[in-house]
Amino acid sequence: MSSKTQHSVAALAWLAIFLAVFLWSAIHPKDRLTWVLEVLPAVIGFGAVIWCYLRFPLTPLVYGLILVHAIILMVGGHYTYAEVPLFDTLGDRFGWQRNNYDKLGHLAQGFIPAIIAREVLIRRAVFARPRWLAFFVVCFCLALSAFYELIEWWVALLSAQAADAFLGTQGYVWDTQSDMAWALVGALAALVLLRPVHDRQLRALGGSHG
């Protein structure tokens, strides 16, 4: 199988998985407005992937991470983040006081954008020194997390109906701060764990790396 054929098969598989999970998520969600709010970033990401595939091809790692993040968002949108059944089961087993699926979502909110930002910055040669690159990536992920918390606040002010389901605080007073902390952990973990494979894929794609 040629490299071009492999890329085409991978792209079709990516598309099929995304659409299958999207359709499942859209069928009888817990709350329709919450579903729209939670799944909208995944839909925006889908459009960005299509654009990138045609004009700015990304590494397989980034495509895979985007798909994982989209699935996390769509599962959370279907059940609401406070009521994902698997995490209810895990909560009973480990004695959690709340459903922690939202923490997985915020971990991904740092882990996955970190590699996306790293790829764009490296390929555009924005920074000459790797240390500045890593610092900016972490700052970017924290800013993204903070902006998402602002969006949650604005939604809560505008729609009391969707506020509880969308915010998913579950009575935890430090929910906002812990969300950002998980995003920070995710960003740092991505830079430490995925840098070697990301650099190899960047070289294969023809991009420089720091």
Side-chain angles (χ1 to χ4, degrees), residues 1 8 13 15 24 73 76 84-85 95 101 105 115 154 162 191 194 201 209:
M1 185 181 295
S8 297
L15 181 63
W24 164 82
L73 291 168
V84 174
Y101 186 78
I115 301 302
W154 296 332
L191 292 176
L194 297 183
Q201 291 191 5
H209 70 284

Side-chain angles (χ1 to χ4, degrees), residues 24-25 29-31 74-85:
W24 164 82
S25 178
K30 178 75 175 181
D31 179 84
M74 290 187 284
V75 170
H78 181 80
Y79 293 112
T80 78
Y81 276 71
E83 299 184 42
V84 174

Side-chain angles (χ1 to χ4, degrees), residues 37 149-164 166-167:
L37 294 170
E149 296 300 327
L150 289 175
I151 292 175
E152 289 184 341
W153 175 43
W154 296 332
V155 169
L157 293 175
L158 293 173
S159 175
Q161 177 183 358
D164 289 340
F166 186 57
L167 288 173

